[in-house]
Amino acid sequence: MFKKSVAVVTGASRGIGRALALELADRGNLTIINYNESVEKAESVKREIVASGGEAVLFQCDVSRYEDCEYFIKEIVRDYGRLDILVNNAGITRDYLIMQMKEEDFDQVLAVNLKGTFNTISFAARQMMKQRKGRIVNMASVVGIHGNGGQSSYSASKAGVIGLTKSVAKELAPRGITVNAVAPGFIETEMTGVLTEEVQKNVEKKIPLGMFGRPEDVAAAVGFLTSDVAGYITGQVLCVDGGMAM
Ligand code: NAP
């Protein structure tokens, strides 16, 4: 069996996922950088990790596809004989008011954000149960707790991620596996980069700490939840949101 812990991060080619991959590699894990389309960005994350003395591997997989996730997770287990950490970070938005929301947009958001989380857990949990050890962290959002006008599909997917997290946490706890969610507020990435300056200013007014967070703020929380010292924490939703959800 491979000596280092093995950590899978979905959607690790950019934004929060990139910061998660750097954090987990920095903590000594062999880090599997999953991406869907952004191969060059994923390669650059790998280069960054290797340049700072870490180990990383790229793996293309569309997490919304069940069979592809089966192949993805089984290949990792076949190559390294273990899977210690799974972070379900891949996510998309298709934001429209409910009257303009097309069925395919709603379905696609649910398919990546919620079903994608189910897909990888389905196969990762099997290996972690055999090991009697594992850490799963799912990326939710504060809008999955409070809702947000114009984001019904996204909020529904993230509320679903929270329900999935708590249920799976109960199922896997007897095997020593922890399952938690992290709920970011507004974080500076390409996802929020599409907001106009005016919208960004209005959002900032609603954040008690008065500013957007950085991907590294989320990575620090995930680093903690996946570490050995967090072994007694499961089924929780940790908000990293500058106080928005208070
Ligand atoms: P981002 O910059 O848009 O990056 C999204 C990542 O997800 C990319 O690496 C992308 O990879 C990957 N991805 C998308 N569809 C995929 C698929 N079908 N299969 C595999 N990977 C896929 O987003 P972000 O802001 O970093 O957000 C990361 C996570 O945090 C998401 O779950 C998001 O909902 C959540 N979040 C973000 C914020 C925020 O303010 N930014 C707030 C709350 C929650 P490719 O480019 O290769 O497709």
mmCIF file of all heavy atoms in Angstrom, residues 86-127:
data_model
loop_
_atom_site.group_PDB
_atom_site.id
_atom_site.type_symbol
_atom_site.label_atom_id
_atom_site.label_comp_id
_atom_site.label_asym_id
_atom_site.label_seq_id
_atom_site.Cartn_x
_atom_site.Cartn_y
_atom_site.Cartn_z
ATOM 1 N N LEU A 86 -11.674 12.580 0.832
ATOM 2 C CA LEU A 86 -12.427 12.948 -0.377
ATOM 3 C C LEU A 86 -13.049 14.320 -0.131
ATOM 4 O O LEU A 86 -13.808 14.488 0.836
ATOM 5 C CB LEU A 86 -13.536 11.922 -0.646
ATOM 6 C CG LEU A 86 -14.570 12.325 -1.710
ATOM 7 C CD1 LEU A 86 -13.927 12.424 -3.100
ATOM 8 C CD2 LEU A 86 -15.738 11.334 -1.743
ATOM 9 N N VAL A 87 -12.727 15.265 -0.987
ATOM 10 C CA VAL A 87 -13.361 16.581 -0.887
ATOM 11 C C VAL A 87 -14.176 16.821 -2.157
ATOM 12 O O VAL A 87 -13.627 16.924 -3.256
ATOM 13 C CB VAL A 87 -12.323 17.713 -0.693
ATOM 14 C CG1 VAL A 87 -13.050 19.041 -0.445
ATOM 15 C CG2 VAL A 87 -11.385 17.412 0.465
ATOM 16 N N ASN A 88 -15.486 16.874 -1.987
ATOM 17 C CA ASN A 88 -16.393 17.122 -3.116
ATOM 18 C C ASN A 88 -16.580 18.618 -3.281
ATOM 19 O O ASN A 88 -17.432 19.222 -2.613
ATOM 20 C CB ASN A 88 -17.733 16.430 -2.853
ATOM 21 C CG ASN A 88 -17.634 14.950 -3.096
ATOM 22 O OD1 ASN A 88 -17.296 14.513 -4.202
ATOM 23 N ND2 ASN A 88 -17.889 14.160 -2.069
ATOM 24 N N ASN A 89 -15.758 19.181 -4.151
ATOM 25 C CA ASN A 89 -15.753 20.631 -4.329
ATOM 26 C C ASN A 89 -16.337 21.076 -5.678
ATOM 27 O O ASN A 89 -16.799 22.207 -5.800
ATOM 28 C CB ASN A 89 -14.306 21.135 -4.196
ATOM 29 C CG ASN A 89 -14.145 22.553 -4.662
ATOM 30 O OD1 ASN A 89 -14.534 23.490 -3.961
ATOM 31 N ND2 ASN A 89 -13.606 22.740 -5.866
ATOM 32 N N ALA A 90 -16.331 20.187 -6.686
ATOM 33 C CA ALA A 90 -16.783 20.590 -8.029
ATOM 34 C C ALA A 90 -18.188 21.174 -7.945
ATOM 35 O O ALA A 90 -19.068 20.601 -7.300
ATOM 36 C CB ALA A 90 -16.778 19.375 -8.956
ATOM 37 N N GLY A 91 -18.374 22.308 -8.587
ATOM 38 C CA GLY A 91 -19.699 22.924 -8.533
ATOM 39 C C GLY A 91 -19.894 23.927 -9.648
ATOM 40 O O GLY A 91 -18.928 24.489 -10.183
ATOM 41 N N ILE A 92 -21.147 24.125 -10.025
ATOM 42 C CA ILE A 92 -21.485 25.101 -11.066
ATOM 43 C C ILE A 92 -22.713 25.907 -10.642
ATOM 44 O O ILE A 92 -23.452 25.491 -9.752
ATOM 45 C CB ILE A 92 -21.781 24.430 -12.436
ATOM 46 C CG1 ILE A 92 -22.961 23.441 -12.317
ATOM 47 C CG2 ILE A 92 -20.545 23.722 -12.984
ATOM 48 C CD1 ILE A 92 -23.513 22.973 -13.661
ATOM 49 N N THR A 93 -22.902 27.043 -11.306
ATOM 50 C CA THR A 93 -24.145 27.813 -11.137
ATOM 51 C C THR A 93 -24.787 28.006 -12.511
ATOM 52 O O THR A 93 -24.078 28.069 -13.537
ATOM 53 C CB THR A 93 -23.871 29.218 -10.560
ATOM 54 O OG1 THR A 93 -22.851 29.842 -11.347
ATOM 55 C CG2 THR A 93 -23.432 29.179 -9.117
ATOM 56 N N ARG A 94 -26.093 28.068 -12.535
ATOM 57 C CA ARG A 94 -26.862 28.506 -13.715
ATOM 58 C C ARG A 94 -27.978 29.359 -13.127
ATOM 59 O O ARG A 94 -29.065 28.860 -12.879
ATOM 60 C CB ARG A 94 -27.487 27.324 -14.473
ATOM 61 C CG ARG A 94 -26.526 26.309 -15.039
ATOM 62 C CD ARG A 94 -26.008 26.736 -16.423
ATOM 63 N NE ARG A 94 -25.189 25.678 -16.997
ATOM 64 C CZ ARG A 94 -23.890 25.507 -16.754
ATOM 65 N NH1 ARG A 94 -23.266 26.335 -15.923
ATOM 66 N NH2 ARG A 94 -23.224 24.523 -17.316
ATOM 67 N N ASP A 95 -27.653 30.639 -12.849
ATOM 68 C CA ASP A 95 -28.563 31.473 -12.056
ATOM 69 C C ASP A 95 -29.625 32.185 -12.903
ATOM 70 O O ASP A 95 -29.288 32.975 -13.796
ATOM 71 C CB ASP A 95 -27.755 32.532 -11.281
ATOM 72 C CG ASP A 95 -26.860 31.892 -10.223
ATOM 73 O OD1 ASP A 95 -27.081 30.714 -9.896
ATOM 74 O OD2 ASP A 95 -25.952 32.581 -9.732
ATOM 75 N N TYR A 96 -30.879 31.890 -12.612
ATOM 76 C CA TYR A 96 -32.020 32.570 -13.250
ATOM 77 C C TYR A 96 -33.135 32.675 -12.229
ATOM 78 O O TYR A 96 -33.227 31.846 -11.314
ATOM 79 C CB TYR A 96 -32.553 31.759 -14.444
ATOM 80 C CG TYR A 96 -31.529 31.527 -15.525
ATOM 81 C CD1 TYR A 96 -30.871 30.301 -15.618
ATOM 82 C CD2 TYR A 96 -31.217 32.525 -16.447
ATOM 83 C CE1 TYR A 96 -29.912 30.076 -16.601
ATOM 84 C CE2 TYR A 96 -30.257 32.310 -17.431
ATOM 85 C CZ TYR A 96 -29.615 31.086 -17.497
ATOM 86 O OH TYR A 96 -28.675 30.871 -18.454
ATOM 87 N N LEU A 97 -34.001 33.679 -12.417
ATOM 88 C CA LEU A 97 -35.221 33.716 -11.594
ATOM 89 C C LEU A 97 -36.060 32.498 -11.955
ATOM 90 O O LEU A 97 -35.959 31.980 -13.079
ATOM 91 C CB LEU A 97 -36.005 35.007 -11.888
ATOM 92 C CG LEU A 97 -35.275 36.292 -11.469
ATOM 93 C CD1 LEU A 97 -36.010 37.513 -12.000
ATOM 94 C CD2 LEU A 97 -35.098 36.361 -9.960
ATOM 95 N N ILE A 98 -36.876 32.057 -11.042
ATOM 96 C CA ILE A 98 -37.591 30.790 -11.233
ATOM 97 C C ILE A 98 -38.419 30.795 -12.531
ATOM 98 O O ILE A 98 -38.518 29.764 -13.212
ATOM 99 C CB ILE A 98 -38.463 30.445 -9.992
ATOM 100 C CG1 ILE A 98 -38.962 29.002 -10.047
ATOM 101 C CG2 ILE A 98 -39.616 31.413 -9.806
ATOM 102 C CD1 ILE A 98 -37.930 27.968 -9.815
ATOM 103 N N MET A 99 -38.993 31.952 -12.910
ATOM 104 C CA MET A 99 -39.819 31.987 -14.122
ATOM 105 C C MET A 99 -38.989 31.860 -15.398
ATOM 106 O O MET A 99 -39.518 31.538 -16.455
ATOM 107 C CB MET A 99 -40.651 33.292 -14.175
ATOM 108 C CG MET A 99 -41.631 33.458 -13.029
ATOM 109 S SD MET A 99 -42.642 31.993 -12.734
ATOM 110 C CE MET A 99 -43.642 31.957 -14.197
ATOM 111 N N GLN A 100 -37.675 32.147 -15.286
ATOM 112 C CA GLN A 100 -36.820 32.024 -16.475
ATOM 113 C C GLN A 100 -35.963 30.750 -16.449
ATOM 114 O O GLN A 100 -35.244 30.459 -17.405
ATOM 115 C CB GLN A 100 -35.870 33.223 -16.582
ATOM 116 C CG GLN A 100 -36.467 34.444 -17.279
ATOM 117 C CD GLN A 100 -36.997 35.438 -16.281
ATOM 118 O OE1 GLN A 100 -36.329 35.791 -15.328
ATOM 119 N NE2 GLN A 100 -38.228 35.891 -16.507
ATOM 120 N N MET A 101 -36.035 30.017 -15.366
ATOM 121 C CA MET A 101 -35.168 28.838 -15.191
ATOM 122 C C MET A 101 -35.616 27.705 -16.116
ATOM 123 O O MET A 101 -36.754 27.240 -16.038
ATOM 124 C CB MET A 101 -35.232 28.365 -13.726
ATOM 125 C CG MET A 101 -34.395 27.145 -13.406
ATOM 126 S SD MET A 101 -32.663 27.511 -13.152
ATOM 127 C CE MET A 101 -32.722 28.339 -11.570
ATOM 128 N N LYS A 102 -34.686 27.300 -17.001
ATOM 129 C CA LYS A 102 -35.027 26.192 -17.910
ATOM 130 C C LYS A 102 -34.777 24.865 -17.198
ATOM 131 O O LYS A 102 -33.899 24.760 -16.345
ATOM 132 C CB LYS A 102 -34.176 26.263 -19.169
ATOM 133 C CG LYS A 102 -34.473 27.448 -20.050
ATOM 134 C CD LYS A 102 -33.892 27.195 -21.442
ATOM 135 C CE LYS A 102 -33.999 28.418 -22.320
ATOM 136 N NZ LYS A 102 -32.932 29.409 -22.022
ATOM 137 N N GLU A 103 -35.523 23.855 -17.608
ATOM 138 C CA GLU A 103 -35.406 22.546 -16.976
ATOM 139 C C GLU A 103 -33.962 22.032 -17.051
ATOM 140 O O GLU A 103 -33.417 21.514 -16.067
ATOM 141 C CB GLU A 103 -36.352 21.550 -17.657
ATOM 142 C CG GLU A 103 -36.361 20.194 -16.985
ATOM 143 C CD GLU A 103 -37.136 19.148 -17.776
ATOM 144 O OE1 GLU A 103 -37.552 19.432 -18.923
ATOM 145 O OE2 GLU A 103 -37.307 18.042 -17.248
ATOM 146 N N GLU A 104 -33.323 22.225 -18.234
ATOM 147 C CA GLU A 104 -31.964 21.657 -18.375
ATOM 148 C C GLU A 104 -30.947 22.367 -17.469
ATOM 149 O O GLU A 104 -29.984 21.746 -17.005
ATOM 150 C CB GLU A 104 -31.485 21.630 -19.835
ATOM 151 C CG GLU A 104 -31.451 22.969 -20.541
ATOM 152 C CD GLU A 104 -32.695 23.210 -21.378
ATOM 153 O OE1 GLU A 104 -33.794 22.773 -20.966
ATOM 154 O OE2 GLU A 104 -32.579 23.866 -22.432
ATOM 155 N N ASP A 105 -31.178 23.658 -17.210
ATOM 156 C CA ASP A 105 -30.262 24.363 -16.297
ATOM 157 C C ASP A 105 -30.420 23.838 -14.871
ATOM 158 O O ASP A 105 -29.435 23.600 -14.166
ATOM 159 C CB ASP A 105 -30.550 25.884 -16.322
ATOM 160 C CG ASP A 105 -30.148 26.494 -17.651
ATOM 161 O OD1 ASP A 105 -29.095 26.089 -18.186
ATOM 162 O OD2 ASP A 105 -30.894 27.338 -18.174
ATOM 163 N N PHE A 106 -31.671 23.661 -14.469
ATOM 164 C CA PHE A 106 -31.930 23.127 -13.124
ATOM 165 C C PHE A 106 -31.298 21.739 -12.988
ATOM 166 O O PHE A 106 -30.572 21.452 -12.030
ATOM 167 C CB PHE A 106 -33.447 23.058 -12.871
ATOM 168 C CG PHE A 106 -33.792 22.779 -11.437
ATOM 169 C CD1 PHE A 106 -33.964 23.811 -10.526
ATOM 170 C CD2 PHE A 106 -33.912 21.470 -10.979
ATOM 171 C CE1 PHE A 106 -34.268 23.555 -9.197
ATOM 172 C CE2 PHE A 106 -34.206 21.201 -9.652
ATOM 173 C CZ PHE A 106 -34.384 22.247 -8.760
ATOM 174 N N ASP A 107 -31.550 20.887 -13.995
ATOM 175 C CA ASP A 107 -31.039 19.511 -13.946
ATOM 176 C C ASP A 107 -29.516 19.475 -13.899
ATOM 177 O O ASP A 107 -28.923 18.680 -13.173
ATOM 178 C CB ASP A 107 -31.502 18.721 -15.186
ATOM 179 C CG ASP A 107 -32.980 18.357 -15.096
ATOM 180 O OD1 ASP A 107 -33.566 18.501 -14.007
ATOM 181 O OD2 ASP A 107 -33.544 17.937 -16.136
ATOM 182 N N GLN A 108 -28.879 20.348 -14.692
ATOM 183 C CA GLN A 108 -27.405 20.313 -14.775
ATOM 184 C C GLN A 108 -26.769 20.717 -13.441
ATOM 185 O O GLN A 108 -25.793 20.115 -12.998
ATOM 186 C CB GLN A 108 -26.922 21.223 -15.922
ATOM 187 C CG GLN A 108 -25.445 21.125 -16.244
ATOM 188 C CD GLN A 108 -24.985 19.684 -16.549
ATOM 189 O OE1 GLN A 108 -25.758 18.831 -16.964
ATOM 190 N NE2 GLN A 108 -23.709 19.401 -16.317
ATOM 191 N N VAL A 109 -27.344 21.731 -12.787
ATOM 192 C CA VAL A 109 -26.805 22.172 -11.490
ATOM 193 C C VAL A 109 -26.956 21.055 -10.452
ATOM 194 O O VAL A 109 -26.018 20.751 -9.705
ATOM 195 C CB VAL A 109 -27.504 23.477 -11.024
ATOM 196 C CG1 VAL A 109 -27.145 23.806 -9.578
ATOM 197 C CG2 VAL A 109 -27.097 24.633 -11.936
ATOM 198 N N LEU A 110 -28.114 20.425 -10.445
ATOM 199 C CA LEU A 110 -28.318 19.310 -9.494
ATOM 200 C C LEU A 110 -27.387 18.139 -9.831
ATOM 201 O O LEU A 110 -26.864 17.475 -8.926
ATOM 202 C CB LEU A 110 -29.784 18.846 -9.530
ATOM 203 C CG LEU A 110 -30.785 19.527 -8.581
ATOM 204 C CD1 LEU A 110 -30.586 19.040 -7.146
ATOM 205 C CD2 LEU A 110 -30.747 21.031 -8.605
ATOM 206 N N ALA A 111 -27.184 17.919 -11.125
ATOM 207 C CA ALA A 111 -26.367 16.770 -11.554
ATOM 208 C C ALA A 111 -24.913 16.910 -11.106
ATOM 209 O O ALA A 111 -24.291 15.945 -10.658
ATOM 210 C CB ALA A 111 -26.430 16.616 -13.069
ATOM 211 N N VAL A 112 -24.359 18.114 -11.217
ATOM 212 C CA VAL A 112 -22.950 18.310 -10.830
ATOM 213 C C VAL A 112 -22.840 18.463 -9.310
ATOM 214 O O VAL A 112 -22.084 17.746 -8.645
ATOM 215 C CB VAL A 112 -22.342 19.553 -11.538
ATOM 216 C CG1 VAL A 112 -20.916 19.805 -11.033
ATOM 217 C CG2 VAL A 112 -22.353 19.371 -13.057
ATOM 218 N N ASN A 113 -23.615 19.385 -8.750
ATOM 219 C CA ASN A 113 -23.406 19.751 -7.337
ATOM 220 C C ASN A 113 -23.879 18.675 -6.366
ATOM 221 O O ASN A 113 -23.190 18.378 -5.389
ATOM 222 C CB ASN A 113 -24.136 21.057 -7.012
ATOM 223 C CG ASN A 113 -23.646 22.233 -7.846
ATOM 224 O OD1 ASN A 113 -22.813 22.079 -8.735
ATOM 225 N ND2 ASN A 113 -24.161 23.407 -7.581
ATOM 226 N N LEU A 114 -25.048 18.106 -6.628
ATOM 227 C CA LEU A 114 -25.602 17.149 -5.661
ATOM 228 C C LEU A 114 -25.321 15.701 -6.082
ATOM 229 O O LEU A 114 -24.739 14.923 -5.322
ATOM 230 C CB LEU A 114 -27.109 17.385 -5.497
ATOM 231 C CG LEU A 114 -27.836 16.440 -4.542
ATOM 232 C CD1 LEU A 114 -27.191 16.416 -3.149
ATOM 233 C CD2 LEU A 114 -29.311 16.828 -4.425
ATOM 234 N N LYS A 115 -25.708 15.355 -7.321
ATOM 235 C CA LYS A 115 -25.510 13.967 -7.744
ATOM 236 C C LYS A 115 -24.017 13.650 -7.832
ATOM 237 O O LYS A 115 -23.588 12.546 -7.482
ATOM 238 C CB LYS A 115 -26.205 13.735 -9.092
ATOM 239 C CG LYS A 115 -25.996 12.368 -9.687
ATOM 240 C CD LYS A 115 -27.230 11.512 -9.577
ATOM 241 C CE LYS A 115 -27.009 10.097 -10.099
ATOM 242 N NZ LYS A 115 -26.351 10.055 -11.420
ATOM 243 N N GLY A 116 -23.219 14.644 -8.251
ATOM 244 C CA GLY A 116 -21.765 14.436 -8.321
ATOM 245 C C GLY A 116 -21.196 14.075 -6.958
ATOM 246 O O GLY A 116 -20.307 13.225 -6.844
ATOM 247 N N THR A 117 -21.726 14.699 -5.919
ATOM 248 C CA THR A 117 -21.276 14.415 -4.553
ATOM 249 C C THR A 117 -21.668 13.000 -4.161
ATOM 250 O O THR A 117 -20.870 12.240 -3.599
ATOM 251 C CB THR A 117 -21.892 15.463 -3.586
ATOM 252 O OG1 THR A 117 -21.486 16.759 -4.031
ATOM 253 C CG2 THR A 117 -21.436 15.258 -2.156
ATOM 254 N N PHE A 118 -22.897 12.628 -4.497
ATOM 255 C CA PHE A 118 -23.348 11.242 -4.258
ATOM 256 C C PHE A 118 -22.464 10.247 -5.028
ATOM 257 O O PHE A 118 -22.048 9.212 -4.485
ATOM 258 C CB PHE A 118 -24.816 11.101 -4.691
ATOM 259 C CG PHE A 118 -25.221 9.679 -4.951
ATOM 260 C CD1 PHE A 118 -25.472 8.802 -3.892
ATOM 261 C CD2 PHE A 118 -25.331 9.195 -6.248
ATOM 262 C CE1 PHE A 118 -25.825 7.471 -4.132
ATOM 263 C CE2 PHE A 118 -25.686 7.876 -6.491
ATOM 264 C CZ PHE A 118 -25.927 7.007 -5.434
ATOM 265 N N ASN A 119 -22.195 10.569 -6.295
ATOM 266 C CA ASN A 119 -21.453 9.628 -7.156
ATOM 267 C C ASN A 119 -20.095 9.251 -6.560
ATOM 268 O O ASN A 119 -19.756 8.073 -6.461
ATOM 269 C CB ASN A 119 -21.221 10.244 -8.548
ATOM 270 C CG ASN A 119 -22.494 10.337 -9.370
ATOM 271 O OD1 ASN A 119 -23.492 9.684 -9.059
ATOM 272 N ND2 ASN A 119 -22.465 11.152 -10.415
ATOM 273 N N THR A 120 -19.318 10.265 -6.180
ATOM 274 C CA THR A 120 -17.969 9.950 -5.677
ATOM 275 C C THR A 120 -18.038 9.267 -4.312
ATOM 276 O O THR A 120 -17.283 8.337 -4.047
ATOM 277 C CB THR A 120 -17.101 11.218 -5.573
ATOM 278 O OG1 THR A 120 -17.797 12.165 -4.767
ATOM 279 C CG2 THR A 120 -16.785 11.811 -6.931
ATOM 280 N N ILE A 121 -18.955 9.729 -3.456
ATOM 281 C CA ILE A 121 -19.064 9.114 -2.119
ATOM 282 C C ILE A 121 -19.433 7.638 -2.251
ATOM 283 O O ILE A 121 -18.915 6.787 -1.522
ATOM 284 C CB ILE A 121 -20.104 9.853 -1.238
ATOM 285 C CG1 ILE A 121 -19.603 11.243 -0.871
ATOM 286 C CG2 ILE A 121 -20.391 9.056 0.047
ATOM 287 C CD1 ILE A 121 -20.590 12.078 -0.063
ATOM 288 N N SER A 122 -20.317 7.323 -3.196
ATOM 289 C CA SER A 122 -20.763 5.930 -3.357
ATOM 290 C C SER A 122 -19.583 4.976 -3.454
ATOM 291 O O SER A 122 -19.610 3.889 -2.880
ATOM 292 C CB SER A 122 -21.584 5.769 -4.635
ATOM 293 O OG SER A 122 -22.705 6.563 -4.577
ATOM 294 N N PHE A 123 -18.576 5.388 -4.216
ATOM 295 C CA PHE A 123 -17.439 4.480 -4.444
ATOM 296 C C PHE A 123 -16.329 4.684 -3.401
ATOM 297 O O PHE A 123 -15.708 3.714 -2.973
ATOM 298 C CB PHE A 123 -16.929 4.648 -5.884
ATOM 299 C CG PHE A 123 -18.029 4.328 -6.863
ATOM 300 C CD1 PHE A 123 -18.703 5.332 -7.536
ATOM 301 C CD2 PHE A 123 -18.446 3.023 -7.037
ATOM 302 C CE1 PHE A 123 -19.769 5.045 -8.384
ATOM 303 C CE2 PHE A 123 -19.512 2.715 -7.870
ATOM 304 C CZ PHE A 123 -20.173 3.735 -8.558
ATOM 305 N N ALA A 124 -16.122 5.915 -2.983
ATOM 306 C CA ALA A 124 -15.076 6.181 -1.981
ATOM 307 C C ALA A 124 -15.429 5.531 -0.641
ATOM 308 O O ALA A 124 -14.552 5.004 0.052
ATOM 309 C CB ALA A 124 -14.900 7.686 -1.799
ATOM 310 N N ALA A 125 -16.721 5.570 -0.292
ATOM 311 C CA ALA A 125 -17.142 5.040 1.020
ATOM 312 C C ALA A 125 -16.801 3.554 1.133
ATOM 313 O O ALA A 125 -16.462 3.085 2.224
ATOM 314 C CB ALA A 125 -18.633 5.269 1.226
ATOM 315 N N ARG A 126 -16.884 2.837 0.014
ATOM 316 C CA ARG A 126 -16.578 1.389 0.067
ATOM 317 C C ARG A 126 -15.152 1.151 0.548
ATOM 318 O O ARG A 126 -14.890 0.311 1.404
ATOM 319 C CB ARG A 126 -16.755 0.759 -1.321
ATOM 320 C CG ARG A 126 -18.202 0.669 -1.693
ATOM 321 C CD ARG A 126 -18.422 0.212 -3.099
ATOM 322 N NE ARG A 126 -19.737 0.713 -3.522
ATOM 323 C CZ ARG A 126 -20.333 0.405 -4.639
ATOM 324 N NH1 ARG A 126 -19.760 -0.409 -5.487
ATOM 325 N NH2 ARG A 126 -21.516 0.902 -4.935
ATOM 326 N N GLN A 127 -14.214 1.917 -0.031
ATOM 327 C CA GLN A 127 -12.811 1.766 0.354
ATOM 328 C C GLN A 127 -12.596 2.253 1.794
ATOM 329 O O GLN A 127 -11.909 1.606 2.584
ATOM 330 C CB GLN A 127 -11.910 2.538 -0.623
ATOM 331 C CG GLN A 127 -10.447 2.551 -0.267
ATOM 332 C CD GLN A 127 -9.830 1.147 -0.243
ATOM 333 O OE1 GLN A 127 -10.323 0.209 -0.875
ATOM 334 N NE2 GLN A 127 -8.730 0.992 0.495
#
